[in-house]
Amino acid sequence: MEPGLNMSTRNQSRRSALKGALVGVTGLAVVGGAVGAGVLFSEQSSQGAHAAAPNQATPVANTQAITAILNIAATAETLAVTFYSQVLSHADKLGLKEATRINLKATLVEEQLHLLFLNKQGAKSAAKNFSFPFGRDTFKNLELFLKTQQQLESAFVAAYLAAVKELAMLGRPDLAQVAAQLAAIESEHRVVGRLIGAMLPIDNEAFPPLLLKNVAAAPAFLKGAGYLSPRNDNTFEFHAVLTRGAGVTMTMPTMVQTTTITPAPTTPPITNATPAAHLKF
């Protein structure tokens, strides 16, 4: 069961779990071609998503590169929705408290909103079925869940940071700004995992590490780490989730200057929310 955050003795098992999660970010990343956090997850070929300067490529090539970046992002967000859906459906087995479930529900909704935005730009996920490095045990064991969560969110942050640079180089500062917004939220999701694991300080990075050389490296990492090889009992199918009722605001970017974006209706306030002061993590 997930312990509380009020007493240091109750925090010990959580800190141990997140310590294992940090090992997961460094150790599991080796599978994808990395030697540890703070260095590149992968230095695979940059064909497809890696951007060249606008004056070094044709408009058609730039468009193809932008499409590749958005498709990779859509694949990552589809994986994220699948992951957090499974986490919440196994919350009892993971021993997650009420407040933690609320935080993870908001995280799930945010990932779905990210995917909806990308879909509006014409992006398509390369997969609808995913696997996880620890299979179904990922959603039965708190330490394995945290290892997976920390690795995924660190990779998502790194991919979006790479996308900021590449999209700007490709002449799409509007999408580059959105990529920065997405990186910011994925970083918050990483902190949610640290909160669950009772690791102090909760926000421990002054600058997120640039773990990916370019966006094109992300699929190779995800495949190598065990997320894109569904088989037998290690297959998890994507299902879209509703985006209302989780307390999430700013459901679409507001500063993007592109005609393909249609603002979503404002999420209504939750009237039956439990006061945060009475929740235990």
Side-chain angles (χ1 to χ4, degrees):
M1 297 293 289
E2 180 201 10
L5 289 177
N6 295 328
M7 299 175 62
S8 60
T9 54
R10 293 183 179 180
N11 288 340
Q12 184 175 0
S13 61
R14 273 183 159 186
R15 285 195 292 266
S16 176
L18 195 52
K19 182 178 180 181
L22 295 176
V23 172
V25 174
T26 58
L28 282 177
V30 174
V31 180
V35 296
V39 296
L40 303 180
F41 274 134
S42 175
E43 292 193 33
Q44 300 295 321
S45 169
S46 61
Q47 294 179 358
H50 183 53
N55 61 357
Q56 295 178 339
T58 66
V60 172
N62 283 349
T63 298
Q64 291 174 339
I66 292 168
T67 298
I69 292 171
L70 297 180
N71 287 344
I72 290 172
T75 304
E77 297 293 353
T78 302
L79 169 58
V81 171
T82 303
F83 173 69
Y84 285 111
S85 294
Q86 289 294 324
V87 170
L88 285 169
S89 67
H90 293 83
D92 288 339
K93 291 183 179 180
L94 290 169
L96 302 180
K97 300 290 186 181
E98 181 182 2
T100 296
R101 298 185 193 207
I102 291 173
N103 287 336
L104 289 174
K105 174 64 175 178
T107 297
L108 170 62
V109 167
E110 287 157 6
E111 303 289 23
Q112 180 67 65
L113 288 167
H114 295 173
L115 180 58
L116 290 174
F117 167 80
L118 292 165
N119 289 159
K120 285 179 180 292
Q121 313 315 305
K124 297 180 180 180
S125 173
K128 296 294 183 181
N129 292 283
F130 302 92
S131 55
F132 294 98
F134 302 107
R136 298 194 178 278
D137 288 341
T138 307
F139 310 107
K140 300 176 182 178
N141 180 287
L142 183 65
E143 180 177 347
L144 299 183
F145 152 61
L146 286 173
K147 282 184 178 181
T148 305
Q149 193 264 357
Q150 290 290 286
Q151 185 184 48
L152 280 175
E153 294 298 350
S154 295
F156 296 159
V157 172
Y160 279 123
L161 290 176
V164 171
K165 180 178 180 180
E166 294 180 32
L167 290 167
M169 292 172 63
L170 288 163
R172 289 300 302 271
D174 55 336
L175 289 178
Q177 184 178 54
V178 174
Q181 290 176 291
L182 295 173
I185 300 305
E186 302 299 349
S187 186
E188 289 186 352
H189 295 168
R190 188 189 73 89
V191 171
V192 168
R194 290 179 61 82
L195 175 63
I196 295 171
M199 176 66 82
L200 298 176
I202 297 300
D203 53 337
N204 67 319
E205 293 177 349
F207 298 91
L210 303 177
L211 301 173
L212 288 167
K213 184 175 183 179
N214 49 56
V215 179
F221 163 69
L222 291 175
K223 183 176 181 179
Y227 295 99
L228 299 178
S229 302
R231 61 184 183 277
N232 300 329
D233 63 343
N234 192 2
T235 298
F236 299 86
E237 184 178 3
F238 164 78
H239 295 283
V241 299
L242 297 176
T243 59
R244 293 181 178 273
V248 176
T249 62
M250 295 298 297
T251 58
M252 288 289 282
T254 56
M255 300 300 293
V256 181
Q257 303 300 316
T258 171
T259 58
T260 60
I261 300 173
T262 302
T266 302
T267 302
I270 300 177
T271 58
N272 60 345
T274 304
H278 300 291
L279 297 176
K280 294 183 178 180
F281 290 87

